Amino acid sequence: MERGGRWMRVIVIDDEKAMHLIMGKMLRKLPGIELAGCFADTASASRYIQEHEVHVAFVDISMPQESGMQFAERMAAQRPELHVIFVTSHKGYALDAFELSALDYIVKPVSLERVEKSIKRAKAIYHFHETASAASTPPPVHIFALGGFEVRTAAGSVKWKSRKSAELFAYLLMLRGRMVSRARLVAEVFGEMPSKNAETYLNTSIYQLRKALEPHGIKSVIQSNADGYGLDLHDAIIDYVEFEARLKQIDTMDNVNMEWCLETEKLYVGDLFGDKGYIWALNDASRLSALHAALVKKLASALIEQRKEDLAIGLLAKQHARNELDEETVILLMGAYAAKKELSSCERLYRSYEKVLRQELNIDPSQELKALYAELLLSN
């Protein structure tokens, strides 16, 4: 087998689809790596391995039907040249894994640095060289849709030819991988225009979109057929997609994964598409905002328990600025101030919240909040 100067072919086997996305994005950031496929079970992965060259498999241990351990044992007999790297939520299998000659053992949540370390081990064994031409793969695409909207490649940010061409790309982004009919695009993106003008503007915007993407080498991501258009961006790194994928990995919050959880929160730099005001995106924007708010509250509660009130206050203060009417955030923030014996801050927050409620909704704080405020005053 000639190995020098070639791409290392890697697969991921995990029954959690979120891990396919997470591992895929990490592996695509590493030079000389070709992600050959992601599989939800060992049976489909085995069929692929029998028909294709695969050098490394990242394998979850807890799998339906056949476990990752059983798969590794079977591969050791059938394909001894395949190196297995276990990726699991459980630390207790490490000894058994290395008895099966596993190349490495990674405990979730997974970090890019840890995956890169495993890949370096594999490259050392296979003697792969990172000499593959960058022209052999499409340029990486980074899309930032939280807090604004930017599409960036190695050539810089995409310069939109018009406001509507940017909105059209954003709409197709939300439905990436699917073809969208012209009728739907006209109704959703150009609905404020007369039907005849809308059709013309759709054609013009598609043309402008392709012209804007051409200098970045990604003109071909705009797909078309007789009925409509689509966006083929399966390799792109999209901030809101990464945010949701990381959320699905968070089961508990403790000292072990707190830094990783805080990094996840930082991904949410603002609402979906920022101040663009795309009406068709309101439901997704609200959903992501609610997910972020829930994450902040969960993080703050864990930080207060760990006596890290300053971190909790920073998170809650930003969340309170986003939504001044959210009583749960106010309760947590008052609790954090009280834990630090900052009575004046606690009182200012309560009075401010009381004022906002009366101005905006013409109501008073709940009895629960009033009782908490009185209790905090007495205890301090």
Side-chain angles (χ1 to χ4, degrees):
M1 183 186 296
E2 183 184 347
R3 293 167 178 161
R6 296 179 52 207
W7 292 88
M8 174 175 286
R9 305 191 81 242
V10 176
I11 65 171
V12 174
I13 309 173
D14 198 304
D15 59 330
E16 294 183 21
K17 291 297 180 68
M19 284 302 296
H20 295 180
L21 181 65
I22 292 165
M23 290 296 297
K25 288 190 173 181
M26 290 182 182
L27 290 166
R28 290 184 185 105
K29 291 179 181 179
L30 302 178
I33 298 300
E34 177 189 348
L35 179 59
C38 295
F39 304 90
D41 57 83
T42 60
S44 56
S46 298
R47 288 192 294 271
Y48 183 87
I49 291 168
Q50 296 303 320
E51 299 172 1
H52 302 85
E53 183 180 24
V54 178
H55 306 112
V56 176
F58 286 86
V59 184
D60 185 22
I61 289 180
S62 299
M63 298 280 290
Q65 299 173 343
E66 182 182 47
S67 73
M69 290 288 191
Q70 292 169 324
F71 168 80
E73 187 174 8
R74 184 162 56 82
M75 286 297 107
Q78 297 176 4
R79 288 295 175 99
E81 72 279 8
L82 175 70
H83 286 279
V84 171
I85 297 171
F86 287 114
V87 182
T88 178
S89 301
H90 309 286
K91 299 178 181 179
Y93 293 112
L95 184 59
D96 293 335
F98 288 117
E99 284 181 355
L100 289 172
S101 299
L103 181 66
D104 207 346
Y105 187 95
I106 302 176
V107 178
K108 298 177 182 178
V110 182
S111 68
L112 177 60
E113 293 75 19
R114 190 64 184 82
V115 171
E116 186 175 18
K117 183 178 178 181
S118 296
I119 287 295
K120 285 181 178 178
R121 288 185 184 179
K123 285 182 175 179
I125 293 171
Y126 274 106
H127 305 294
F128 274 88
H129 304 305
E130 297 174 2
T131 58
S133 170
S136 62
T137 57
V141 180
H142 296 259
I143 298 178
F144 305 92
L146 294 173
F149 186 43
E150 180 186 7
V151 178
R152 189 187 302 165
T153 69
S157 297
V158 171
K159 305 299 182 186
W160 307 110
K161 302 295 182 181
S162 68
R163 180 180 59 84
K164 277 298 182 183
S165 64
E167 182 179 353
L168 180 58
F169 187 96
Y171 187 88
L172 292 174
L173 173 68
M174 299 302 294
L175 297 170
R176 64 197 178 282
R178 295 167 51 187
M179 298 302 292
V180 186
S181 70
R182 292 176 61 86
R184 181 173 178 179
L185 290 172
V186 165
E188 294 281 354
V189 182
F190 303 91
E192 75 280 8
M193 300 178 181
S195 179
K196 185 177 179 180
N197 292 348
E199 285 279 353
T200 302
Y201 270 102
L202 172 58
N203 295 335
T204 302
S205 295
I206 288 291
Y207 172 78
Q208 291 175 334
L209 199 48
R210 286 177 168 149
K211 292 296 290 183
L213 298 176
E214 190 171 13
H216 299 264
I218 55 173
K219 176 182 176 181
S220 61
V221 302
I222 304 297
Q223 306 288 300
S224 62
N225 59 24
D227 182 54
Y229 300 94
L231 199 58
D232 180 13
L233 269 178
H234 61 278
D235 288 331
I237 300 168
I238 308 170
D239 59 357
Y240 70 86
V241 175
E242 183 178 357
F243 174 69
E244 284 199 86
R246 289 174 68 116
L247 282 182
K248 291 176 182 176
Q249 277 196 287
I250 299 175
D251 294 322
T252 58
M253 292 182 184
D254 50 35
N255 286 324
V256 176
N257 70 345
M258 182 56 72
E259 184 177 349
W260 192 86
C261 293
L262 289 168
E263 288 174 359
T264 299
E265 189 278 328
K266 289 177 183 177
L267 288 175
Y268 194 92
V269 297
D271 292 337
L272 185 66
F273 299 123
D275 59 358
K276 299 295 182 184
Y278 299 146
I279 294 175
W280 47 262
L282 290 180
N283 286 340
D284 283 301
S286 296
R287 179 179 59 81
L288 287 167
S289 178
L291 287 173
H292 174 254
L295 173 64
V296 167
K297 294 168 190 175
K298 191 174 179 181
L299 267 170
S301 297
L303 288 167
I304 292 170
E305 287 183 9
Q306 296 174 20
R307 304 305 302 272
K308 297 176 181 177
E309 292 91 355
D310 287 335
L311 274 174
I313 289 170
L315 289 171
L316 290 167
K318 287 193 298 182
Q319 181 58 33
H320 180 57
R322 289 179 187 274
N323 183 1
E324 291 183 311
L325 298 176
D326 184 3
E327 184 173 291
E328 189 178 354
T329 300
V330 172
I331 289 173
L332 285 168
L333 190 49
M334 286 176 61
Y337 283 138
K340 290 195 68 183
K341 308 297 182 182
E342 294 184 6
L343 183 60
S344 59
S345 296
C346 189
E347 185 170 1
R348 278 197 303 272
L349 175 61
Y350 178 83
R351 294 303 179 192
S352 172
Y353 179 65
E354 183 181 48
K355 182 179 179 181
V356 168
L357 278 183
R358 287 174 178 167
Q359 288 178 339
E360 299 295 329
L361 303 177
N362 196 29
I363 61 174
D364 290 327
S366 68
Q367 291 302 315
E368 178 188 359
L369 184 56
K370 288 180 179 179
L372 173 64
Y373 178 60
E375 181 183 340
L376 292 175
L377 289 179
L378 289 173
S379 62
N380 286 275

